[in-house]
Structures are given as C-alpha cells and as structure tokens.
Amino acid sequence: MSVRIVRYSRGGVCHYGELVDDGAGIARCEGDPFTGLFPTGHLDGVAEVAILPPLERPRIFGFAYNYASHVDETDREVPEVPVVFMKPSTAVIGPDDAIVYPADGELIHFEGELVVVIGKEARHVKAADAHEYILGYTCGNDVSDRVIQRRESAFGALLIGKGQDTFAPLGPAIVTELDPSRLSLTTRVNGTVMQSASTADLLLTVPDLVSYLSRYLTLLPGDAIMTGTPSGVGPIRPGDEVEVEIEGIGVLRNTVVAERG
C-alpha cells in the first residue's frame, strides 16, 4: 500500500507524518521513515503546519544526460558511462521555499526531475533487487547556474554550478510503493508548461541507477538520487514561480527571489 510521507514543523517542532484525507490532514508519527514510523493518533491539518523538505540534509547524487531528448537539446553525444555529480546537502529547500537567484547569476536554469529516496544501506545491489533498497520517490528541481557549470565542466569539475544554496528543491512528499517506470513529469514556469515527458524515456532506469552507484559506493538511508531531466530546460528569473509535477507524487512549487546584497 502506497504511503505519502511528509516532514513538517508545527510550533517549532519537527515531525514526520502520513498524508490522509486526500492530503488535507497529516497523521503525526513518532520515529522516522528509515527506522520506523509509528502513528501517535494525532492529526494535524496541512494548513496548520509548515511542510519541510522531505529529507534533512541528504547526500544528493545527480545523473546528467539521462534523457535522450535532453542530450539532443544540449548538442552532445549519449555518454559512454553514466555522468554523476553531487549537490551539497545545504542546497536543499522544501515546497514553497524560495530559490535564491545569485547576485552575480547570469543564466540560471530549472530542471524538473524524479528523485529516488534510498531507504536502507545498499552496496553491490543488482538492478533486479534495487526496489528492496528504495523507500520511495519525490519531486526535485536540479537548479543550475549554466555559466559557472560550463566553466567548471571544461576542467572536469561540477560543484558550484549545481550546488549553491537553494539549488535543490525537493518535495512535497515521499511516496512509497510507486512504480517509477512510466510516470508523467511536467515542469511549469509561471503556469506555462516547459517540460512534459515520461520516466519511460530514461536512458538508465531507476534500478540501473541504484545498481550503478552501489557498485562503487555505499548508499545510505536518506540519500537522494536525481534521475535526470528531459528536454525543455530553460531560464528562471526573480519573480518566477516554478512547479515540478510528477504523477502519483504531487507538485513541488517554488518561487524565485533575488539574492540580497
């Protein structure tokens, strides 16, 4: 049975809970999704709380060029090996938090993505067994500073262009027991559809990504894997509203604000 897990704050206290009543209420739980959630019997109204990022300072692994359509729009060849980068945990923000447009930013892009949340320690996992290590899925936006990204990439690095504070919106919920193989993904900027795709078009599937990473390093509970973005990426500016919607998960909504000097 699928569960929609949210992390939220009420009265300055952080809780995990399960969305109920068609998303209008949250069944408060003790514990966490990785060691066990235990209902307390208390129900919070969504309007009464602040929804937080679903993960607290996770390690974030990103896969570049994992949709053929995005490879085409960047005028590149399909990579011979998976192209992986990391975003710092401090880049994470949650639903309705603001993406900060850097004071020296010149070209900042959105990238709507399906995000995999690891549920337990994983090493040398076969693709066929990957589902056993996945807690669930959420929406993500791999915000990218293209100017810095291109300068870094020319020398084989990729950190500041992807990893600035607020450059990893996640949320609104972690949805368990979801089949990631054919989910519709839509990204809107100010209500206009910019990306419309299906996860069926991923070059490396979710099980492939988990297997690949775990071949070389140990995945930990709470790790997030951004699976790649389809074509249609484009610029955002202060004042914009970006929405990433994924079938079965919901809508991750963030506004863009200018960095204060």
Side-chain angles (χ1 to χ4, degrees), residues 143-259:
V143 181
S144 305
D145 185 322
R146 295 300 190 210
V147 174
I148 295 178
Q149 177 184 344
R150 289 163 184 162
R151 290 171 179 167
E152 288 182 310
S153 296
F155 293 92
L158 189 57
L159 177 61
I160 305 304
K162 293 281 192 179
Q164 298 181 48
D165 287 0
T166 76
F167 273 24
L170 298 176
I174 300 170
V175 180
T176 67
E177 303 299 326
L178 188 66
D179 181 355
S181 62
R182 291 184 178 274
L183 301 175
S184 63
L185 183 157
T186 305
T187 306
R188 294 180 291 270
V189 177
N190 301 326
T192 299
V193 173
M194 307 300 291
Q195 293 181 294
S196 180
S198 169
T199 58
D201 297 328
L202 285 167
L203 296 174
L204 292 172
T205 66
V206 166
D208 293 333
L209 302 180
V210 173
S211 180
Y212 180 79
L213 283 174
S214 71
R215 185 188 315 166
Y216 298 103
L217 50 88
T218 301
L219 293 171
L220 300 174
D223 282 349
I225 303 173
M226 304 189 88
T227 58
T229 197
S231 62
V233 302
I236 51 176
R237 299 174 181 84
D240 286 346
E241 180 182 77
V242 186
E243 296 175 302
V244 179
E245 181 172 5
I246 298 179
E247 178 184 359
I249 299 174
V251 179
L252 170 63
R253 182 178 296 105
N254 301 94
T255 55
V256 184
V257 301
E259 182 177 21

